[in-house]
Amino acid sequence: MDLDRTIQTSEPWAAPASAVLESLGGTEHGLTAAEASARLDSHGRNMLAPPKPAPWWKRVLLQFKDVLIYVLLASALLKAIIGDWVDFAVILAVAVINAVIGLVQEGRAEQALNAIRGMMSTQAHVMRAGVWIEVDAAELVPGDVVRLRAGDRVPADLRLLDAANLQVDESALTGEAEPSTKFTEPVAPTAELGDRSSMMFSGTLVAAGTGRGVVVATGVNTEIGHIQTLVTEVESVETPLAIALARFGRLIAWTIVAMTLVMTAIGFFVHGFGLQEIVSAAIGFAVAAIPEGLPALVTITLALGVQQMARRHAITRRLPAVEALGSVTVICSDKTGTLTKNEMTARAVRTAAHEYEVEGTGYAPEGVITRDGAPAPASANPDLQALAEAVAVCNDARVVGAAGDWRIVGAPTEGALAVLGHKAGVDGGTWQREAEVPFDSETKYMAVLARGDGGEAYVFLKGAPDRVLTRATTQTQPDGSAAPIDVAHWQRQISELGQRGLRVLAAARRRADAGAATLSHADLETGFEFIGVVGIVDPPRPEAIVAIATSHRAGVAVKMITGDHPDTALSIAREMGITSGGDAGAGDAGADAAEPRVLTGAELEAMSDEQLRAVAGTVDVYARTSPEHKIRIVSALQHEGEVVAMTGDGVNDAPALTQADVGVAMGLKGTEATKEAADLVLTDDNFATIERAVEEGRRIYSNIRKSILFLLPTNGGQSLVILIAVLIGATQLPLEPVQVLWINMATSVTLSLALAGAGAEPGLMDQPPRGKDAPLLDARMGVRIGVVSLLVAAATMFSFYFEDGHGENLAQSQTTAVTTLALCQLAYLFSCRFLDRSSLSLEVFRGNRVIYISAAVLIVLQLAFVYLPFMHDWFGSDVIDWHQWGLSALLAIVVFVLAEVNKALTRRIGESGGAR
Ligand code: ATP
């Protein structure tokens, strides 16, 4: 094949579809696998170039863009002015080490997010060698025939071959918010991008309808490839939390500057320190007080958490969602496929006079249909025959495979009906489909116009029984003839099957005019002959039942939102423990408990927003809903102060997902439009994954709090030592500024990272959700930070003055003080492992390997500080003996115990104050 011909379609919108297809060397049956692979080699993968990363020097410089670092650099400058070059070098070293740590962590965060981007590759439906298959959109080549439906993202630039009610949202490309309607007719060669109605462009979204097109351009040759590189899929690392922390950093910076000035004034005027001395002390104070590791710490905690969640099937698309997840109070979940397995099997068939049971499991087309316990072949039962025929013909699913490995291609509901057709021995393939109205969760039905062997034409309708009933005037009798409809009979049947937890679908038919060739909703209004109903089981996912119980324990309500019948929905909701309402004698809320807490879409529509808000909290099951109801449910719950996670899969679910605090899309059956509106994408479509993600959200948030709880007293303690020494007019500082820098450096490369990836504390899901507006640091944490700062400062000063008082030289006393500080921080790290629970238990030593690695590195660094001669030159340290080590260790243990006492006291105050 002449590959050059494939790029000779410069204005495909102006040429007839068939001509474009031919010029691309394609056919209606698609390319062969060999041809596709050859074209892939010559055209390259259908991908846009990823954005160029910022040059390394820019990234390094960005690390210094932080007020806290400015203070540090200003200190270094002062040191240079007074000619204290060693200190100058050490301060600069700290700033550089901090930048390196920041870079490395940012790199890891970036890597984690990139990996997630990779997981979100889109799939495309392509015809290859006459068969529709699903491939990674990156493997599309010019000449491929692709089909699209509402909610899909267009994977390449396409010339349309067919279009049915096709509307495309092209705002990504043209900025035009209104979807444009697409046709197959050629347009003028001069048509602007927005007017090329015979084309679909890569990156745009199908808003409605279905279509088929031939790929004319891929990758960078597409229209979107001309104007931009990769559409950013995962947002940057800015989260409300990071912003709050940046604000917090600025506050700390200004406090430090103010206190430094006050300290300088007091030292200079009250105690008569020399200028050099007081500047040195002031710098020491400033450097000690700066928690320069804080921003990087939050980034890495979030990034590690996001990575961990991805491993557990939940892909985060927007980082702020991680925080919101931890405070979710209500999860609104779809039923089919999320709470249930979406493995449908028809179990019962009801016709006007008969009750049939269907045997067999799964999608295997093997199993007998019985009536009153005896096999009932369709050939001997015209009513069953008519029903099986209707559901087999009005069906887009196929049963494939062989004994032991039966699968279906298509939607599970349809698959179950196709299997039923096989079990009844009906061959839908003998019917020729002329036209169709596809299934839509809004209308809840599907219809086809088909012509049988004998040339007779029928419209077959199948869908939610209530929708089919209103369109029927007659019903099929056991002998296959029609009689006036008995609506009450059908309602009883529907309700009975629904109460068994079965999904009920109805089938109807109507003779069509001999010449009829089209079908629209208007043709489906009335005049149908109701054939019967089918009850389909869809077993609950056992892990979802466990997850619902866990959610309830964690104070998170679960609501089922389904398009299914209220009886079916309620029965499954009960089975899964979502609701206990409606059980005889259940609960203690009197009349309320006897009321099943189910609201239907119709009831919801009749309610005002105020009325809905009043009941939204207590309704557990929303049945027969349409996607647009979801947004009202989310809004009502949010208005009542709930933090809502909402799932969705269809294109119409996108607005509700955007409105929810955490929009959750289904990775497997969800449309691209839904995934793009979502904060979280479930790669396994499983409810249990949402519950786990909530748990992860809580863990990540609690780890960030722990890290702050650890980091701040570290800086508080060091700076207090210098502040107090100056304020009391001590001539010798217990810590030299370079020593403070040393300890900052040593702990920031070791200890402060130990909490970032720590596992969940036991009992995390036994607590109620954190309040929506609860501050990151509450008063109790503030008290703890203050008290521990004082304890660390006291221990450090004690060790210095104790040694000083025993006649040790300055270097030794200071080295002991530095060692005490390092060990106190190590001990305090163990206290921070549990946010509120006591760490005075052996459990504190288990479950976090990173703590031991960082502790070991810290000890090695500290040994170097004490014993290596060049360190003595640099940091003014000296060798200390075992009893000085012993004193430091003892003081660290005392600080640990007192920090625990303080934790217990603040916990008790918190409990009696009712705060959490
Ligand atoms: P969820 O529980 O996740 O909301 P659902 O499957 O219950 O999903 P829909 O898929 O919108 O919701 O289905 C709503 C109703 O439409 C079903 O109860 C069924 O009666 C009917 N239905 C479902 N699939 C089809 C189909 N392929 N053809 C005709 N009717 C269908």
Side-chain angles (χ1 to χ4, degrees):
M1 168 129 342
D2 177 9
L3 283 180
D4 284 343
R5 281 176 58 203
T6 63
I7 42 173
Q8 283 174 4
T9 41
S10 59
E11 283 163 357
W13 53 92
S18 53
V20 177
L21 186 61
E22 195 189 334
S23 77
L24 287 163
T27 71
E28 288 283 338
H29 299 296
L31 303 170
T32 60
E35 177 62 23
S37 132
R39 289 188 182 201
L40 192 61
D41 286 343
S42 69
H43 288 271
R45 288 170 72 77
N46 176 29
M47 283 180 352
L48 298 179
K52 271 212 180 69
W56 65 268
W57 55 267
K58 211 172 192 174
R59 279 184 293 152
V60 171
L61 280 187
L62 271 179
Q63 294 300 325
F64 291 93
K65 202 175 147 254
D66 186 291
V67 227
L68 298 175
I69 304 293
Y70 296 160
V71 179
L72 212 57
L73 293 180
S75 312
L77 190 69
L78 274 176
K79 284 286 179 188
I81 291 171
I82 40 181
D84 197 341
W85 295 108
V86 171
D87 282 15
F88 167 78
V90 173
I91 298 181
L92 271 194
V94 167
V96 168
I97 288 180
N98 192 62
V100 170
I101 295 176
L103 264 186
V104 170
Q105 297 197 347
E106 224 163 64
R108 282 177 74 188
E110 198 53 35
Q111 246 173 18
L113 296 184
N114 275 340
I116 286 169
R117 272 192 199 114
M119 288 169 145
M120 289 197 299
S121 69
T122 28
Q123 299 285 308
H125 272 120
V126 58
M127 170 83 81
R128 293 262 169 91
V131 185
W132 286 112
I133 56 169
E134 219 171 277
V135 300
D136 185 342
E139 286 170 19
L140 289 183
V141 291
D144 261 334
V145 175
V146 172
R147 75 174 168 191
L148 293 161
R149 60 184 171 123
D152 285 348
R153 181 165 284 284
V154 180
D157 284 2
L158 307 175
R159 171 65 171 93
L160 279 171
L161 301 174
D162 290 318
N165 300 324
L166 190 60
Q167 300 216 327
V168 182
D169 169 0
E170 296 188 326
S171 52
L173 200 58
T174 60
E176 172 58 52
E178 278 296 304
S180 28
T181 309
K182 298 288 178 179
F183 311 94
T184 52
E185 288 73 30
V187 295
T190 51
E192 291 295 322
L193 206 57
D195 298 327
R196 295 178 192 162
S197 56
S198 56
M199 297 283 293
M200 294 217 273
F201 297 105
S202 181
T204 59
L205 276 171
V206 182
T210 54
R212 201 166 59 91
V214 54
V215 174
V216 296
T218 57
V220 289
N221 297 321
T222 58
E223 289 298 333
I224 200 140
H226 294 153
I227 57 171
Q228 68 170 72
T229 49
L230 196 73
V231 189
T232 44
E233 300 226 318
V234 181
E235 286 186 354
S236 72
V237 186
E238 274 298 80
T239 74
L241 186 65
I243 294 167
L245 276 171
R247 207 178 306 132
F248 185 56
R250 279 196 294 278
L251 181 74
I252 297 183
W254 286 115
T255 315
I256 291 171
V257 170
M259 291 196 53
T260 311
L261 291 178
V262 170
M263 195 176 87
T264 313
I266 292 181
F268 192 68
F269 294 112
V270 180
H271 298 302
F273 282 108
L275 189 62
Q276 180 141 3
E277 250 176 322
I278 191 65
V279 167
S280 180
I283 291 175
F285 169 77
V287 167
I290 297 172
E292 61 272 347
L294 199 56
L297 198 64
V298 173
T299 311
I300 195 68
T301 311
L302 277 176
L304 287 179
V306 164
Q307 214 172 10
Q308 172 78 8
M309 286 199 349
R311 257 183 251 129
R312 301 173 85 180
H313 307 297
I315 296 176
T316 318
R317 295 195 68 248
R318 290 184 240 288
L319 280 185
V322 178
E323 288 162 46
L325 263 177
S327 56
V328 159
T329 58
V330 180
I331 306 175
C332 296
S333 173
D334 286 343
K335 171 176 72 68
T336 310
T338 310
L339 291 168
T340 63
K341 289 183 173 171
N342 210 7
E343 288 166 13
M344 309 242 185
T345 315
R347 278 268 161 273
V349 173
R350 300 284 165 91
T351 58
H354 295 143
E355 296 187 358
Y356 298 91
E357 297 297 320
V358 186
E359 294 176 353
T361 51
Y363 295 123
E366 298 145 359
V368 181
I369 303 180
T370 62
R371 199 180 85 202
D372 304 326
S379 51
N381 292 281
D383 54 349
L384 178 62
Q385 168 80 20
L387 183 116
E389 203 160 58
V391 297
V393 176
C394 185
N395 199 318
D396 285 330
R398 269 184 309 127
V399 185
V400 295
D405 178 31
W406 290 103
R407 282 169 294 116
I408 53 143
V409 181
T413 306
E414 304 237 313
L417 296 175
V419 170
L420 175 68
H422 282 282
K423 286 179 183 169
V426 167
D427 182 7
T430 57
W431 288 78
Q432 179 68 34
R433 190 182 291 191
E434 303 275 332
E436 67 183 63
V437 170
F439 172 72
D440 180 340
S441 42
E442 202 82 40
T443 58
K444 299 188 173 42
Y445 60 69
M446 159 183 182
V448 299
L449 168 65
R451 206 170 295 278
D453 269 349
E456 73 282 15
Y458 272 95
V459 177
F460 291 108
L461 172 71
K462 81 169 197 302
D466 32 326
R467 306 294 164 103
V468 179
L469 258 186
T470 56
R471 289 169 168 75
T473 46
T474 54
Q475 65 187 29
T476 312
Q477 296 301 98
D479 63 0
S481 65
I485 192 160
D486 175 1
V487 174
H489 164 78
W490 294 114
Q491 275 167 344
R492 258 194 327 274
Q493 304 298 331
I494 296 162
S495 182
E496 245 176 68
L497 294 181
Q499 281 165 10
R500 276 167 61 183
L502 300 177
R503 148 176 288 216
V504 189
L505 264 86
R509 64 183 175 187
R510 197 190 66 204
R511 255 193 187 284
D513 300 337
T518 60
L519 199 60
S520 72
H521 289 288
D523 302 323
L524 305 174
E525 293 292 317
T526 184
F528 278 92
E529 176 188 329
F530 199 96
I531 312 173
V533 291
V534 182
I536 302 173
V537 278
D538 179 15
R541 289 176 181 266
E543 68 276 23
I545 298 181
V546 178
I548 289 166
T550 311
S551 303
H552 284 164
R553 242 193 359 264
V556 179
V558 178
K559 310 213 176 274
M560 175 192 279
I561 302 190
T562 172
D564 234 329
H565 192 276
D567 288 333
T568 311
L570 183 62
S571 162
I572 294 179
R574 281 208 193 108
E575 189 178 342
M576 303 195 73
I578 290 181
T579 183
S580 54
D583 286 349
D588 53 6
D592 263 1
E595 280 294 309
R597 291 171 186 155
V598 185
L599 199 69
T600 63
E603 288 165 342
L604 189 148
E605 255 165 40
M607 285 181 167
S608 68
D609 283 346
E610 285 72 32
Q611 287 169 322
L612 181 59
R613 279 176 209 153
V615 299
T618 52
V619 172
D620 296 321
V621 177
Y622 293 87
R624 275 288 183 259
T625 51
S626 301
E628 80 267 8
H629 297 140
K630 283 187 172 177
I631 193 156
R632 283 192 65 199
I633 299 171
V634 172
S635 304
L637 287 167
Q638 283 175 331
H639 193 267
E640 296 303 298
E642 307 285 359
V643 180
V644 186
M646 167 68 87
T647 67
D649 47 23
V651 59
N652 302 336
D653 288 336
L657 261 51
T658 312
Q659 168 78 27
D661 298 275
V662 182
V664 184
M666 300 300 143
L668 298 177
K669 67 170 185 164
T671 58
E672 282 304 308
T674 328
K675 287 186 211 166
E676 273 166 39
D679 302 298
L680 201 70
V681 178
L682 307 182
T683 56
D684 61 355
D685 290 11
N686 191 341
F687 178 84
T689 304
I690 311 178
E691 180 270 314
R692 273 207 310 264
V694 168
E695 190 173 336
E696 280 293 298
R698 288 187 178 194
R699 180 185 71 89
I700 293 168
Y701 195 81
S702 124
N703 279 356
I704 290 177
R705 291 181 80 192
K706 283 178 196 172
S707 298
I708 295 176
L709 200 59
F710 169 71
L711 209 59
L712 290 190
T714 306
N715 295 100
Q718 295 166 6
S719 50
L720 270 179
V721 169
I722 298 183
L723 185 71
I724 294 170
V726 171
L727 293 186
I728 61 175
T731 44
Q732 294 293 354
L733 291 180
L735 299 172
E736 293 296 333
V738 270
Q739 292 168 346
V740 168
L741 284 168
W742 161 259
I743 199 83
N744 261 356
M745 206 157 62
T747 49
S748 71
V749 294
T750 56
L751 301 187
S752 61
L753 295 180
L755 296 171
E761 256 184 69
L764 198 64
M765 291 301 270
D766 293 330
Q767 298 164 1
R770 138 177 76 89
K772 189 179 182 181
D773 301 316
L776 185 62
L777 294 182
D778 55 20
R780 276 190 302 155
M781 279 176 72
V783 169
R784 265 156 70 179
I785 290 171
V787 169
V788 177
S789 298
L790 281 172
L791 286 175
V792 172
T796 310
M797 294 187 85
F798 179 85
S799 60
F800 175 79
Y801 287 112
F802 184 83
E803 292 302 316
D804 199 40
H806 282 75
E808 298 298 347
N809 68 31
L810 180 64
Q812 275 189 339
S813 307
Q814 286 180 332
T815 306
T816 314
V818 170
T819 309
T820 306
L821 199 51
L823 295 186
C824 278
Q825 290 183 6
L826 180 56
Y828 179 53
L829 182 66
F830 283 91
S831 169
C832 288
R833 280 205 62 193
F834 301 144
L835 208 51
D836 274 320
R837 285 181 325 131
S838 169
S839 294
L840 289 169
S841 85
L842 286 179
E843 222 182 307
V844 82
F845 296 114
R846 286 196 288 261
N848 185 348
R849 227 159 26 98
V850 186
I851 278 203
Y852 293 102
I853 299 171
S854 33
V857 178
L858 178 73
I859 303 275
V860 169
L861 287 175
Q862 194 55 28
L863 286 173
F865 180 81
V866 174
Y867 293 109
L868 293 185
F870 81 86
M871 295 294 260
H872 299 169
D873 296 340
W874 272 68
F875 292 100
S877 55
D878 201 355
V879 174
I880 54 173
D881 61 27
W882 68 267
H883 79 257
Q884 286 155 325
W885 277 101
L887 175 69
S888 300
L890 190 68
L891 285 168
I893 292 170
V894 171
V895 165
F896 172 76
V897 172
L898 290 179
E900 283 304 304
V901 170
N902 175 44
K903 194 198 273 181
L905 286 177
T906 49
R907 186 173 54 224
R908 194 155 302 165
I909 294 166
E911 276 162 11
S912 62
R916 212 212 81 69

